[in-house]
Amino acid sequence: METEKRKRYTGWIDRVVLTRLFIAALVSGTAPSLSQNIIEETLAPVTTLTEISRNLEFIERNFRELDPGQMQSDLNALRRSLDPFLQTETPETETTDPRPWNILDRFNMVEGASNFYHNRKDDARKAFEDLLRRSPGAALDSTIANPDLARFFESIREDMVGFLTVTSTPVQAKINIAGRFLGISPILGAHVPAGDHLLVLSHQGYESREIQVSVEAGKETRIEASLVKASGSCQIMTSPPGITVEIDGNTVGTTEGRLTDHPQLYSEYITQTQTDDLDPESVSVPLLIDYIPVGDHIVRFSANCFKSQTFKIQVELGEFFIPPVVMEPDFGDLTVISHPSGAPVYIENEKKGRTPIHLETSCAGDRMIRIELGSRSEWFDTVTVPSGNSITVQACPRPTLLFLGTACRNPVLSRDADLKIDAWLRQTRAFNRYSPQIEQRFRIRPGVATIIERISDVPDPGQLNWPEFLQTLPATLNDANARLYAIARVEEAENGPASILFLISPGQNHPDVIEFPPGQPPETIPEFIRSLLENPPAIARYWLGLKLVDCRNKLMIVGIDPNGPSASLPVKAGDFLMNLDGKPVSSYEQFREIVEEKTGPDQFQLAVLQGSIQRFFTVYAAFEPLMLPLGDPSEHYNLRLAQIGEMEILPRMQNPAALNRGICLHALGDYGAAITEGYEKCSLDFGPGVSGGTLAFLISLSYSSLGLNDPALAAAKKALDSPYSRAIDPDGPVLNELVKSHLN
């Protein structure tokens, strides 16, 4: 048993020593001649307080049996492992993490006990003196002490430590001694190192007081201190109750109750409010705010559905009264539209009806709006309703991104990465429609720990079978209802930690892999995630069938598609399009922006300059698919797929979504799924623009990539029979030449 203990114990110490030798050799440019398995052993040094505490516990249990010289060497190695934690923390305030200092106390205790039992009294005294200077009230662990050691230890304490009793008026004053937090008054017989000390007492609303104290070893010193008040207090009433009160930006309370609930207690206030022409039924009971520092302060009163009010007050010693603050109601008009319509609307978690809905007296200010869009999709946002004005909110499904966690063997790096990624995810909440409540519910699931642990164990996560990998969390992922998942992996690199972010769309074989330089993830959200989440890809737009070119700061019509929506308009080549839907257009770029951003009815209002006469027309535009760039290596295709999948619940988006799902799957190399999961779920008529001919050509490409020549040829011929079909978008080139080239 003893041999086994020594083997386990020295095994850990050897790893520490070998690690330091190996690192030193790397720094000097020469590595020791070690076998591969030994090098792997040395790369796992003690790095956490838990590991240090566990190894110290082994020494505490067995120090009598261990060789004194070897144990002292081992303790020194353990002490060096503890140093980094002691350099970043000091035991001087009540908020300091006490763990490293508790471990240091145990270290001094076992070192002193070992030296005492091996008859090295001077070394034992030094260790115990170090302990008592830092923790004068420390007590010996009963598992390592015998009566002789206890007497030796207490004799040192008698030479070094006195006792301090402090009472104060008022009580519960914070007491610091020599810059370290001692406790809250009254303090009775606290152990304090002998000598002269500066005692500092502080209490909210009172001036701090410094007292010079001389403590004698083995004796009690008594201090009684009175603090001088440096604050005032005030009573505040509001009409109505329920108003939040802030002083200098800090919330100090909320008014409650009504004066008439306690007529005898507040009879004087009731009389005063009636004199001021106020109804006592509407006035709150006084809210007492104490310990306001003397001087000028800003007081703010706020509540939902009321206009905020701000006052400047001057506080003096004593108590004063603020006359009742009367709040004015504050409303605006709120209209909520959703796509699809008929969706339940919740404002501050209270159901208000179904979309479209118009609320003429909605409370002004920031309102949390949540809309259930069906298909397990949810839209929510904080919307500012303007005071006395109206606002319209249009809710469309948007993609959702859920952060699963960080895979990292170093818990310090993992925690740092988690915090940074959480920070930039919070920045996405304006456009990442992901409920914080769902996030909290998701992250406590035990399955998350499993998936993170597994990703940390594989050499190359980019080669994982991700659909199979994610099946470890099926219930959790379904409950979260996210369209995209992110896992960060943080690894030790030569010049610092390097991070890799895996963006995973469910069902996809390859995630997007984004590498951050050493020292990352970044403090701010990566721009590509912001842009793609904030601006879902345009997969369809209205098509007018006009051919336009820029001409001397005007937009000239150079042709009209004979099969397009504008074919019946009395316009001709050479006319100028001056205005579209009430917005001036002087370039093709402006024209495209207006068309692609339109969310309302299918009709457009055109102002066309013909010679010197401007004429106005109405066009009922066609809703045409747009194709995402095929095989563009700069695209994050999984993210695009996630967004398109979110859009599928919109009926008129189904065809464009299915078309582009096929394009994305083709770009990912999954040609069979491109046909079955994309193109076959898209139904387009044969005609001008992106239509059935376009779809047939894309199907031909996928079959050709699969090596199925017969169905590829049949689909290509079908595309060739549609002379008006276009490639890329409704204004793109006709498909005939492209198909002929493909057939050749």
Side-chain angles (χ1 to χ4, degrees), residues 502-690:
F502 300 94
L503 294 179
I504 313 155
S505 182
Q508 296 309 302
N509 294 324
H510 304 287
D512 289 321
V513 180
I514 295 93
E515 295 189 17
F516 297 124
Q520 301 295 327
E523 297 290 349
T524 57
I525 177 173
E527 185 56 36
F528 74 89
I529 291 182
R530 177 189 297 278
S531 62
L532 291 178
L533 283 178
E534 193 169 22
N535 303 301
I539 61 172
R541 69 175 173 88
Y542 291 109
W543 179 54
L544 279 67
L546 293 173
K547 300 183 186 300
L548 304 160
V549 296
D550 295 334
C551 180
R552 298 192 299 275
N553 294 324
K554 291 182 183 179
L555 196 55
M556 178 184 287
I557 300 173
V558 295
I560 301 95
D561 193 308
N563 297 287
S566 301
S568 61
L569 292 182
V571 298
K572 61 184 185 301
D575 292 345
F576 291 94
L577 180 63
M578 306 298 294
N579 195 290
L580 183 64
D581 265 6
K583 300 175 182 177
V585 288
S586 58
S587 68
Y588 187 69
E589 185 65 29
Q590 291 177 341
F591 171 82
R592 291 294 292 266
E593 287 180 4
I594 295 171
V595 171
E596 290 177 3
E597 292 176 2
K598 186 172 178 76
T599 58
D602 295 350
Q603 65 184 33
F604 283 80
Q605 303 299 322
L606 278 62
V608 178
L609 183 64
Q610 298 180 322
S612 60
I613 300 174
Q614 184 165 286
R615 302 180 65 183
F616 297 89
F617 306 100
T618 298
V619 175
Y620 290 88
F623 194 71
E624 289 280 351
L626 294 171
M627 292 175 15
L628 295 182
L630 182 61
D632 182 351
S634 67
E635 288 287 345
H636 292 273
Y637 280 101
N638 287 341
L639 189 53
R640 295 286 188 174
L641 277 170
Q643 293 165 323
I644 292 169
E646 189 82 33
M647 291 179 182
E648 281 188 333
I649 68 169
L650 301 180
R652 70 181 193 169
M653 286 289 193
Q654 288 179 355
N655 283 332
L659 178 74
N660 281 284
R661 183 183 295 277
I663 293 171
C664 289
L665 288 169
H666 184 107
L668 290 168
D670 200 344
Y671 308 119
I675 297 171
T676 58
E677 299 298 320
Y679 303 140
E680 289 184 353
K681 294 184 178 181
C682 179
S683 176
L684 295 176
D685 295 331
F686 284 82
V690 175

Side-chain angles (χ1 to χ4, degrees), residues 675 696-697 699-704 706-718 742-743:
I675 297 171
F697 174 66
I699 292 174
S700 173
L701 288 180
S702 293
Y703 274 128
S704 178
L706 287 170
L708 302 175
N709 294 328
D710 289 343
L713 182 60
K717 288 181 177 179
K718 187 181 291 187
H742 178 63
L743 289 175

